[in-house]
Amino acid sequence: MSVNPNLKYAPSHEWVKVEADGTITVGISDHAQAALGDIVFLELPEAGRAVAKEEAVAVVESVKAASDIYAPVAGTVLARNDAIADTPEEINNKPYDNWLFKIKPTDMADVEGLLTAEAYAANIGE
């Protein structure tokens, strides 16, 4: 499994990319998609939704189970990736190329508190 060194991570296996405008893009890690197995359905949050840090905001369903996806930071959902909802299996193929939703963080300190790639790799035993 791979850990993208250019991203931050939540302990619950979401990856976070900090964009130039201060928003964040969220997806699930390679470790998470491998644990889930073949992904068959996504339920993504609506744009405009206010979310709390660590709140369940999306669902990923695989042939094995359904799993909640958590907001890595508090903020407002700006967009969701409807294209990936139509082809959820692409997350299994390229988990770091396929985002789920974007958030405008309430407090950038939440972003700074996320795991580095190195810390996440250690967390999952890589």
Side-chain angles (χ1 to χ4, degrees):
M1 273 169 276
S2 68
V3 175
N4 185 319
N6 301 315
L7 302 173
K8 293 242 184 199
Y9 296 85
S12 51
H13 309 293
E14 293 82 14
W15 59 256
V16 171
K17 179 180 179 191
V18 180
E19 305 293 349
D21 64 0
T23 62
I24 64 165
T25 301
V26 181
I28 63 170
S29 71
D30 190 30
H31 176 82
Q33 71 78 24
L36 283 165
D38 294 335
I39 296 171
V40 296
F41 178 77
L42 295 170
E43 182 180 316
L44 301 175
E46 293 292 332
R49 176 178 169 182
V51 297
K53 182 178 178 181
E54 300 175 354
E55 175 185 348
V57 296
V59 177
V60 175
E61 290 184 20
S62 71
V63 294
K64 291 182 184 179
S67 183
D68 287 332
I69 303 301
Y70 301 93
V73 300
T76 302
V77 175
L78 296 177
R80 67 186 202 171
N81 188 351
D82 288 324
I84 197 63
D86 292 338
T87 56
E89 65 279 1
E90 286 302 310
I91 293 172
N92 292 117
N93 298 328
K94 296 181 179 178
Y96 299 117
D97 292 341
N98 292 294
W99 59 278
L100 301 179
F101 53 93
K102 296 178 183 259
I103 295 178
K104 178 180 171 117
T106 303
D107 186 350
M108 284 306 283
D110 284 350
V111 177
E112 295 307 315
L114 294 170
L115 299 170
T116 63
E118 295 79 16
Y120 180 70
N123 196 38
I124 61 171
E126 289 281 312

